[in-house]
Amino acid sequence: MSSPLELPAWKKLQAIYDDYGKTFSSRDAFASDPNRFSKFSQTFENYDGSKILFDFSKNLIDDKILSSLIELAKEAKVEKLRDEMFAGVHINTTEDRAVYHVALRNRALKPMYVDNVNVTPEVDSVLQHMKEFSEQVRSGEWKGYTGKEITDIVNIGIGGSDLGPVMVTEALKPYAHPRLSVHFVSNVDGTHIAETLKKCNAETTLFLIASKTFTTAETCANANTAKNWFLQRAKDEAHIAKHFVALSTNASEVAKFGIDTKNMFGFENWVGGRYSVWSAIGTSVCLYIGYDNFEKFLRGAEAVDNHFTSAPLEKNIPLIGGLLTIWYNNFHGAQTKLVTPFDQYMHRFPAYLQQLSMESNGKSVSKDSKFVNYETGIVLFGEPTTNAQHSFFQLVHQGTKLIPADFILAAKSHNPIEGNLHQRMLASNFFAQAESLMLGKTKEQVEAEGVSGDLVPHKMFSGNRPTTSILAQQITPATLGALIAYYEHVTFVEGAIWGINSFDQWGVELGKVLAKVILKELENEKPVESHDSSTRSLINQFKEWA
């Protein structure tokens, strides 16, 4: 494919930016157009009738800018690539794989093919296995080696095998089984597994080892530590079968570990790690919130898939979200994006999106193997508010950088305490932050407050800082599934326009390869003589102090 810089719509957008886009005033736009909100907002209706409002009206766009961005999507053939993804085409070109996480939430059970094989029956078979297993554990039918019910679930994984399940179980904690506590271990730092095991009783703990290949170094190290801890207490390897299950496809390695392969939940190579929470990797979620809620989670994502593939581009919510990234990153020079949920249960949502966005689009080579000469990828960050307002919002409001932001709020709280006072306070900040970022505060407004002299500029706010407000009715399993799918497709649109492969992650590999080499060097006390002088000196100092 040719560079997006050569597309007529890209050149048109550059001309618009040079003409008036860089000085576009959202404040003036609202003053001149009383219908701006209705024109630039969309309401998504989920499969269960619940709704999510996406308000794009506080962004630095008008009809001309948005229509030009949509032209860009058409010229970049985003629709074609989207349709190829949903058809099971190998759009992950560098690994020659389909990208088919959308098949994992196909609860309509329509035929979906990869390499002429309908994958729907196998996907549903794994889900039914998860259902059977989760119901056994949750009902108390599945018991540990001493006959006691399971009380603690420890998911051992890393990357997508950790970030997704962690985020979802936290976000959907109101739906948790009252007897079950869920823990996640990902860091190879021994502190992570050690502190987790302090909370557990071997008689009532179930370990989920999440690794597709069952050879991931960090996961295997933590899994073996967990097994040794368990056997020190249970004494008999036969008891492993009741306390360890594998989320993997490598039956031989699973069996070698001691896990009964009947307790193995598989998934295919067309499921990327950061898109795997919908698969067997979501077993911890299924155990925690129950299969019925897990299926609602899948169906919420499926509803967004249906919208993404059928809505006209002008009304296509994920497409618009992705196009806004292009507008800010490639024309306004904004290299970051803030996603901040006004919801404590969603405190891990930004971390999850960091992997989704930056592992997908942190690429500098196009799909035709050429180094790009334009910006790709964004630095995505965030924390739950209102605490974040006392952290980095100063930079967002008055700093020199343009930081587009997504604000997420549910109208209904799962904890409406003090007559719902807390939720009203939370909501007031949600509305106020977006409004103040748009409006700012002028010199005249500051002086009208009685401020004068050198203090005036310190209290001025330029405003015109773009935000997208996402207002849900409540964070339910279906709503959360829809929100995740929305951001997945936003990420897809970005990568499609940049002409990069959003579905490989070669950048993760180099450090792993070098770490294996260095690990062998750390197994003895002999000073190393290889590497650059800095790395060599650091290794030798570590050996001296360890």
Side-chain angles (χ1 to χ4, degrees), residues 459-472:
K459 294 202 171 188
M460 290 171 57
F461 294 76
S462 64
N464 221 36
R465 309 286 173 116
T467 59
T468 296
S469 296
I470 302 173
L471 179 62

Side-chain angles (χ1 to χ4, degrees), residues 240-309:
I240 289 175
K242 279 293 182 183
H243 292 268
F244 285 79
V245 302
L247 315 181
S248 178
T249 56
N250 192 337
S252 61
E253 287 297 324
V254 167
K256 190 185 300 184
F257 184 88
I259 295 175
D260 187 339
T261 52
K262 292 179 182 177
N263 301 331
M264 189 174 83
F265 299 81
F267 49 101
E268 298 298 328
N269 68 1
W270 38 257
V271 180
R274 54 193 174 277
Y275 301 93
S276 65
V277 71
W278 319 103
S279 72
I281 291 297
T283 299
S284 57
V285 179
C286 194
L287 287 163
Y288 195 51
I289 67 174
Y291 179 80
D292 288 347
N293 282 320
F294 187 74
E295 186 164 50
K296 291 175 182 176
F297 172 66
L298 297 179
R299 291 185 68 186
E302 180 186 33
V304 171
D305 292 342
N306 292 337
H307 168 85
F308 184 52
T309 54

